Amino acid sequence: SPDGTQIACTGDPSVKIVAYPSGDITTPPCTGECHGEDPDWNHDGTTLCFEDGIQIMTLPYEGGMATSLVNTGNDVSHPAWSP
């Protein structure tokens, strides 16, 4: 997270949030396609983006509907927010 207190990662294969330094793991409640890899925080920590193969998805940090930002039709990896 931008404040350094949480780490976004993937596991089994949904997006997970790991609190630092406690190591507590939470899964944001999600509807829609929530399986993916390589999550990244936006600048204010309210939204995550991640890839699910050929799409870049967004998910609110508090949970909700995962939304396709773009479908590339090709493999994508490591999406990242730009300032």
Side-chain angles (χ1 to χ4, degrees):
S1 60
D3 66 3
T5 62
Q6 298 174 321
I7 300 164
C9 59
T10 52
D12 70 14
S14 59
V15 174
K16 305 287 186 189
I17 306 297
V18 181
Y20 178 81
S22 72
D24 294 337
I25 299 171
T26 58
T27 303
C30 180
T31 56
E33 178 58 50
C34 302
H35 302 290
E37 298 179 1
D38 305 320
D40 188 47
W41 298 92
N42 74 338
H43 69 283
D44 65 4
T46 60
T47 306
L48 295 159
C49 69
F50 60 94
E51 58 94 354
D52 79 342
I54 62 172
Q55 296 184 93
I56 297 174
M57 307 290 290
T58 61
L59 176 65
Y61 164 72
E62 296 292 330
M65 176 65 78
T67 305
S68 175
L69 187 61
V70 62
N71 184 330
T72 66
N74 296 305
D75 286 341
V76 295
S77 63
H78 306 286
W81 295 95
S82 178

